[in-house]
Structure formats: C-alpha cells, structure tokens
Amino acid sequence: MSEHSQGAIPHRLPHDWQRESERHEVIASLLATYIDGELPPEAAGQVEAHLVACRRCTKEVALQRQLAASLGQLGGPVASAALHTRIRSALAAAPVPVPVVAPRQPTGVTGLGVRWRWIGLAAGLPLLWWAGVTLREPSRAPRPDAAPVGSGAPVAVGAAPLLDSLTAQWQALTGPLPGRDRDVDAVRRALGMALVPLVHPALDLEAVWTTSAWGELIGALAYRHEGRLLVQYAVPDGVLRHSPSLLGAGDSVVAGTRADSLRLLVWRTPGGASVLMGATTLDRLRALRSSPSQAGQAGASRRPSARPR
Amino acid sequence: MPRQRHSTPDDRQRAFEALVLPHLDRLLGFASRRTATLVDAEDAVQDTCLRAWAAFDELRDPGSARAWLYRILRSVLSESSERLARRARLLPITRLDDVHESLVAGSGESVFDEMAHRLDREVLQAALAAIPEDFATAVELHDIEGFTYAEIADTVGAPIGTVMSRMSRGRRLLAAVIAERGREWALGAPVDSGIRRMPRSS
Ligand SMILES: [Zn+2]
C-alpha cells in the first residue's frame, strides 16, 4: 500500500464504485482515520455504512481500537529529580543565545557525506595540513610579553569551520557577557568533558557559559587580562570533527590569526580541545596557557568574579 | 504570532521552564523507546532542552511547543544514532502483511481473544520496536502522546495524507507483530530474543 499522495483528509467518498471490493480497499485504508475521529462526518457516515456489511473491516476496527486503547495506557519512565536538576543547571549555564553567523560548509560536499568526507580528510591529510593548508607557527621558546599586537610573523590557520564559528561568536560578544556569575561546575556538568580554567596571576575569570556549534555544546570561559577580554572555548570531540585540520594537528599546539588582530591558540584536552582567543599576541597567549600554576590544577573550580566589564 | 519576548534572562528561563518541563516525562518515554539505556534517553532529553533553549526565541506559538519539542528530540535522536541501540530486528513487511490478512480474514475470533491478554507493556514496547520507525513514530505520537494528525504532520514534516496511511499501516503491522511473536511468547520464550527491552530505572 502506498502512502496517500493527497495532502488532505477526504470529506466524502465517491458514489460510483461498481465493485464492492474496490470500495472495501479504499475504506480499509481509512479505518485508522475513522477510528481516530479525524474523518469528516460525511465520510465517517459512509465508512459506518460499509461496516454494517463488511465483517473484515469490522474486525479491523475492533483490532485497531484495542491496540490504540492499550497503547494509551502504556506507562513510561518518570523524569527523575536528578534529571530535572541537571537540566535546570544546564539551562542556567547556557547563555541567552546571541545570533551567530552559521559556518559555511565546504562547497561541493553536502548532506550525510560531509562528516565522512571530513573524517577521511582528517585521517589522510595531516601531512598536507602541516605542509600547505596551514603555516605552522615557527617553533621557538615562548617569549612572554614580547611582541605587540599585529607584529611578528602572522600565522594562518587554514580551513577550519570551527574557528570560523568561534570567531563569529567572539565578534558577537558585545555588551554584557553571557553567563556572568555562572558556576564552572554547572558548565562542566552540562558539557560532559574536562573543563579546566586557566590559572595565571594576570588572568581574572569573569564569566562562564555554554554556547553551541553544529548542535553540540561548547563551554566558554571569559577572562580579563590587562584590560582585554580573552575567551577560552572548550570544544568537545564531536564538534572538533567538523574541523579535520584541527584534528589532524594531533597533540601539537596550533596557533593562528583571525580577523586581523585576533590571535588564537588551540590545544587538545581530554575529550576535546581548548581554543584560547583574544586581541593580543601569540606569545602572550602561550605564556598564559603554560603558566606553571596550571600544574596540578586539573578539576580546579573557581567562581568567576562579578566585576563589571 | 509575535516572537516570545522576555524582559530579563530570568523571565526567559522561567517562561521556558513553564513551557518545556511539563513535557519531560513524555519526551523521556519517547526517547527511551529508541535508546539502549535510560541514561542515553536522559541525555537525549537534556540535549533537546538545551537546543530548545537556544532556539526558544524562534518559537512563535507557545501552543505548538509540544510538536516543536518532539521535532527537536527526533533530530537529537537521529544524530546520535551511533551511540544508541539500533532498532530491534525488523520483521519482513510482506510477512507481516500476510499475518495481518489472516487476522482480519480468518473465520474465528480466537486470535483477538488471545491477543487481548497479551497486550501488556512489555509486549507493546517490543512490538513498537519491531516495526519501521516512521510507522512507530506516527502510532506512538497519536496513541501514546495524544497528538492530533495535524500535530503529527507538523512534527514529522509530512503531509497529513502520509500521516493517515502511516497510522493505518502502523497499527496493522503492530497487530501482526504481536500475533506473530505471540506464538513464541505464549510458548514461554523470553520477549527479548533480540528485541530491546525497556530499561528499568532503579
Ligand atoms: Zn470492508
């Protein structure tokens, strides 16, 4: 039986069927609609007239009514108090959403194939990533407080839709920060991955919230550093898959530049990656990330200070 | 209908919770029939709430919140299918058509009588898992969740004529699965011979 091609419930059935069997076939296909009270009165009357004479359709009606009634009494699980709590705290940690420019998909690849194509790229092309797609930051010892914004060798991060998305989110951060006073633990619970705030004497944690990309949650921690805003995005593996070039970087720290003055640092963490971005220098970002006080800070939790921006 | 406007974030969260939390049990029930464990179902419901929260301002009509939530839940469930249980072994449709035919065309009433006492929770859930997802979804949304045909059409994004035939076909397939498996069950075979059972919350 094919699905009805028409988009509406028939008001009445044709009169001119010669053969009772044809009539039966059509009516049999409408019995569920009849039982559910979704058939208009005139058509329902015609079904009832048929039922008087057709034992088979009468049995069908009894069968479907019995099933529907039983399903209606089917109980289900009750959402536990713990689930209610979990959802409320996840909501509390989530920001009031800011419209974000959707990242563009690569041209010529659409639909279901996208993910697999990207995974294929991630598996097959890490060398290309290092060699050509991206210019890796020259390896050298960190020089804290060295170059001013815009100086030094610019480092390009290649096609990385995740970074496009995060950059757009960064640029949308005007006005009050979302998630001020939110609890790091609440965000960590919502996120389900490691979330370790950076600890450095020159960093003040100001706000913590969750945002999303490709329908998955991303954690965000905003710091104040010498009057400037820095944001660390905690990106779970599921989101990272959308940027194979980042996956391909393995455990290396990737540094890059976006939107002229925006610098960013990407490194892997358990279950995902951290992206630290701000209008400062790469050396500064690197120094803040690798502060010695980071050692032993796993699981550290701090409430952000509620200082005005 | 204008967009939802909430003067403060707290107002927004209150309005959201008032609209969404009452549906939590039902969403969890729908999800749990499609996941391997109750924990997976809870995760799916939480994801659904967070996505709904992010899209809350786009919900024009609070009256359509329920269909909107199920739409999001279905999307969450389909995207996370790799960590969810595959739907139970599906019985061949043509075979089920034959079984259904014998149910309604047979001379006796006995099949119905036998079925009547078998329609308990475990049997129904196993049977729902054994028919194709589109049919199960339509029947569940109507018979369990109380959706109208128009709401189902809105939720699954199909014309109402498609909903009509899915309801009809879905109930027939369900009856056939129950009758077919009923013979095994009646003989004392465990309901779950390859069929997913409802996870029990402790
Ligand atoms: Zn008939």
Side-chain angles (χ1 to χ4, degrees):
Chain A
M1 187 180 76
S2 62
E3 294 185 332
H4 290 257
S5 54
Q6 74 273 25
I9 297 173
H11 280 275
R12 60 194 312 281
L13 308 175
H15 280 305
D16 55 351
W17 288 321
Q18 297 303 309
R19 304 217 319 268
E20 192 58 26
S21 65
E22 276 179 31
R23 190 173 185 79
H24 165 81
E25 286 303 324
V26 172
I27 284 181
S29 72
L30 291 174
L31 290 178
T33 314
Y34 163 73
I35 290 164
D36 296 334
E38 297 265 356
L39 216 49
E42 193 175 347
Q46 290 175 282
V47 170
E48 279 160 5
H50 174 78
L51 288 177
V52 173
C54 183
R55 184 159 177 277
R56 208 175 124 172
C57 283
T58 306
K59 286 182 80 171
E60 174 86 51
V61 166
L63 182 62
Q64 289 202 26
R65 284 210 165 113
Q66 190 179 345
L67 257 181
S70 304
L71 285 168
Q73 288 163 13
L74 188 71
V78 174
S80 64
L83 180 61
H84 275 268
T85 306
R86 224 171 88 192
I87 289 174
R88 281 175 198 272
S89 58
L91 290 176
V96 174
V98 192
V100 169
V101 182
R104 278 180 306 137
Q105 297 209 332
T107 52
V109 190
T110 53
L112 272 181
V114 172
R115 170 185 287 183
W116 296 112
R117 176 97 165 251
W118 280 348
I119 288 172
L121 283 171
L125 296 183
L127 282 178
L128 183 56
W129 149 259
W130 290 120
V133 176
T134 298
L135 299 173
R136 190 182 179 185
E137 184 186 21
S139 71
R140 54 193 155 117
R143 287 183 299 124
D145 309 316
V149 173
S151 80
V155 178
V157 172
L162 170 64
L163 299 183
D164 295 338
S165 170
L166 293 182
T167 301
Q169 302 211 11
W170 159 272
Q171 286 164 342
L173 283 179
T174 55
L177 287 173
R180 188 184 299 276
D181 281 340
R182 298 304 193 187
D183 193 338
V184 175
D185 287 328
V187 172
R188 186 181 291 128
R189 276 195 302 274
L191 209 56
M193 68 172 279
L195 183 69
V196 184
L198 297 176
V199 178
H200 188 282
L203 277 181
D204 280 323
L205 183 59
E206 281 208 340
V208 185
W209 69 93
T210 57
T211 174
S212 68
W214 294 280
E216 294 199 52
L217 286 183
I218 290 177
L221 302 112
Y223 306 89
R224 181 66 55 183
H225 171 64
E226 295 177 351
R228 290 196 184 112
L229 185 71
L230 303 182
V231 179
Q232 175 191 5
Y233 291 100
V235 183
D237 275 335
V239 176
L240 213 56
R241 276 205 302 264
H242 293 278
S243 288
S245 56
L246 294 177
L247 269 182
D251 290 333
S252 308
V253 175
V254 173
T257 182
R258 273 286 193 281
D260 294 336
S261 63
L262 188 61
R263 299 289 180 269
L264 52 91
L265 215 56
V266 188
W267 67 95
R268 296 303 300 267
T269 60
S274 264
V275 179
L276 179 63
M277 55 206 310
T280 180
T281 64
L282 286 172
D283 285 339
R284 180 65 60 90
L285 291 181
R286 213 184 298 105
L288 293 171
R289 178 185 95 84
S290 58
S291 160
S293 57
Q294 270 294 84
Q297 285 290 336
S301 163
R302 234 176 103 195
R303 280 191 76 80
S305 56
R307 183 178 319 157
R309 222 178 159 194
Chain B
M1 192 87 60
R3 286 178 166 220
Q4 302 290 294
R5 292 282 177 212
H6 307 288
S7 47
T8 71
D10 283 348
D11 283 350
R12 189 179 188 274
Q13 183 160 349
R14 260 193 299 277
F16 180 81
E17 289 182 357
L19 205 59
V20 169
L21 296 187
H23 298 292
L24 231 48
D25 290 350
R26 294 306 210 157
L27 291 166
L28 186 62
F30 186 87
S32 72
R33 289 189 292 274
R34 285 159 179 77
T35 56
T37 68
L38 187 61
V39 172
D40 286 337
E42 289 180 338
D43 287 349
V45 169
Q46 179 174 341
D47 285 355
T48 300
C49 290
L50 286 169
R51 284 195 204 181
W53 170 251
F56 188 35
D57 294 327
E58 289 153 26
L59 176 68
R60 310 291 169 102
D61 173 14
S64 64
R66 185 169 67 157
W68 174 67
L69 286 170
Y70 276 82
R71 210 156 50 224
I72 298 172
L73 174 61
R74 273 166 44 81
S75 155
V76 167
L77 287 168
S78 69
E79 286 167 23
S80 55
S81 58
E82 70 267 24
R83 69 186 165 86
L84 304 180
R86 290 234 154 267
R87 280 185 76 73
R89 58 184 167 135
L90 302 183
L91 294 181
I93 299 273
T94 48
R95 167 82 186 128
L96 292 179
D97 284 339
D98 292 345
V99 173
H100 174 263
E101 185 59 27
S102 72
L103 277 182
V104 295
S107 52
E109 306 287 339
S110 63
V111 186
F112 280 14
D113 299 337
E114 275 174 39
M115 274 181 58
H117 67 267
R118 279 203 216 105
L119 293 181
D120 63 19
R121 170 197 176 94
E122 215 157 17
V123 167
L124 288 169
Q125 296 200 140
L128 282 169
I131 67 172
E133 173 67 19
D134 283 345
F135 300 114
T137 295
V139 171
E140 285 177 51
L141 288 180
H142 185 276
D143 291 350
I144 301 178
E145 315 299 348
F147 280 49
T148 63
Y149 281 21
E151 285 177 303
I152 298 172
D154 184 25
T155 303
V156 304
I160 204 150
T162 302
V163 174
M164 288 165 64
S165 71
R166 285 182 187 171
M167 286 301 303
S168 169
R169 194 80 202 275
R171 287 209 193 106
R172 289 178 181 198
L173 292 175
L174 269 183
V177 168
I178 290 167
E180 179 78 342
R181 297 248 165 107
R183 289 179 197 120
E184 304 166 29
W185 299 333
L187 294 174
V191 173
D192 189 353
S193 45
I195 304 177
R196 183 169 38 69
R197 295 176 101 131
M198 185 70 180
R200 306 252 178 242
S201 53
S202 51

